[in-house]
Amino acid sequence: MFAEIAPRYDLLNHLLSMGIDIRWRNRTVRLAGDPAGQPILDVCCGTGDLALAFRREHPAAVGVIGADFCRPMLAIAKRKAARLKQASVYFIEADALHLPFPDNTFGLVSVAFGLRNVSDTDAGLRELTRVCIPGGRVLVLEFTLPRIPLLAQLYRWYFHRILPRIGQALARNRQSAYNYLPASVEEFPQGEAFLQRMAAAGLRQPKAFSMTFGIATLYCGIK
Ligand SMILES: C[S@@+](CC[C@H](N)C(=O)[O-])C[C@H]1O[C@@H](n2cnc3c(N)ncnc32)[C@H](O)[C@@H]1O
């Protein structure tokens, strides 16, 4: 599914979110804090926007790696890094559930709009935590649903009725990726429920930062 939508993924991200996705990633980088001189890993990196945002924020001495299991997404990420002359960001093919890194390697481990797609959320969280250094941070940026009832109703209408039509028209794919998106967001644990999953994965002081009336949330925990 991700291979099919890869060529139009960035365009649709920016169009369907009216460009707000860029701000969500930049805010994630700011809230993530300092990686304490350790490398940064962005899992399910897709076309590389969050990894590249980390690269811009931190000095080149800190290594930034983006990992994804979808080759067409990675190919776009690599081209983008080359175009932006960000040669020191490395993109690798890897499964979020079996990351090819030893325990306690990264100062920051992030995943944006990716964990929801991983087949086992808890195993995914444990794997992100495993590769993070003690005292490092695990960050999960995800779509959520607004809490204000009227806004939630309006948003659901856009999310379920409008977004899939635009998505499907612009990024033709056999697997209805843009129907899958709202369905998967409705199913994914949100707020307190997700914070409890983070704690169960071994993360301390899990916190949620709501963005844009709650349509996205950054979850952050300390290993
Ligand atoms: C919605 S995209 C998000 C991409 C990017 N993080 C962003 O912010 O735009 C989800 C990405 O997760 C990747 N993905 C899903 N399951 C994965 C897994 N088990 N291991 C590695 N990547 C995975 C997909 O290939 C896809 O590129």
Side-chain angles (χ1 to χ4, degrees):
M1 184 180 77
F2 288 110
E4 283 182 359
I5 63 169
R8 292 287 176 96
Y9 180 76
D10 282 347
L11 170 74
L12 276 158
N13 257 356
H14 305 330
L15 184 76
L16 293 170
S17 76
M18 294 178 255
I20 300 171
D21 64 306
I22 299 169
R23 273 198 265 155
W24 292 337
R25 290 192 194 82
N26 289 341
R27 183 147 182 237
T28 296
V29 167
R30 283 198 305 276
L31 287 169
D34 186 17
Q38 302 299 314
I40 299 170
L41 175 67
D42 181 41
V43 180
C44 299
C45 67
T47 56
D49 283 352
L50 185 55
L52 290 164
F54 273 120
R55 170 76 299 153
R56 281 193 295 274
E57 182 76 9
H58 297 287
V62 176
V64 179
I65 297 178
D68 200 289
F69 69 3
C70 176
R71 231 177 257 185
M73 285 280 193
L74 289 169
I76 294 168
K78 286 177 189 171
R79 282 204 296 275
K80 208 184 281 177
R83 203 172 55 239
L84 297 171
K85 301 203 179 359
Q86 298 285 11
S88 53
V89 185
Y90 302 95
F91 290 104
I92 63 152
E93 192 174 324
D95 183 349
L97 291 169
H98 304 281
L99 293 169
F101 303 107
D103 299 355
N104 310 326
T105 302
F106 298 94
L108 297 174
V109 181
S110 63
V111 55
F113 311 110
L115 188 61
R116 176 175 34 88
N117 307 298
V118 172
S119 56
D120 184 336
T121 305
D122 295 315
L125 269 174
R126 285 195 299 273
E127 188 62 352
L128 301 178
T129 306
R130 179 185 71 76
V131 297
C132 184
I133 57 167
R137 284 188 191 82
V138 172
L139 305 134
V140 180
L141 178 61
E142 233 347 309
F143 287 115
T144 41
L145 296 164
R147 295 253 187 95
I148 303 167
L150 191 65
L151 195 61
Q153 225 176 336
L154 197 68
Y155 182 67
R156 276 201 163 96
W157 170 77
Y158 169 74
F159 210 35
H160 286 272
R161 302 284 169 123
I162 308 298
L163 179 145
R165 288 184 192 174
I166 303 175
Q168 195 60 26
L170 292 183
R172 296 205 168 280
N173 66 98
R174 282 166 295 149
Q175 303 187 52
S176 300
Y178 290 89
N179 281 316
Y180 159 80
L181 169 63
S184 64
V185 171
E186 295 274 359
E187 273 182 28
F188 197 68
Q190 303 197 7
E192 192 53 40
F194 189 74
L195 294 175
Q196 283 175 16
R197 308 282 275 262
M198 290 183 96
L203 294 165
R204 291 184 288 116
Q205 300 170 29
K207 280 197 187 78
F209 300 89
S210 175
M211 300 188 191
T212 320
F213 306 108
I215 63 174
T217 300
L218 174 69
Y219 301 97
C220 180
I222 303 171
K223 177 166 171 185

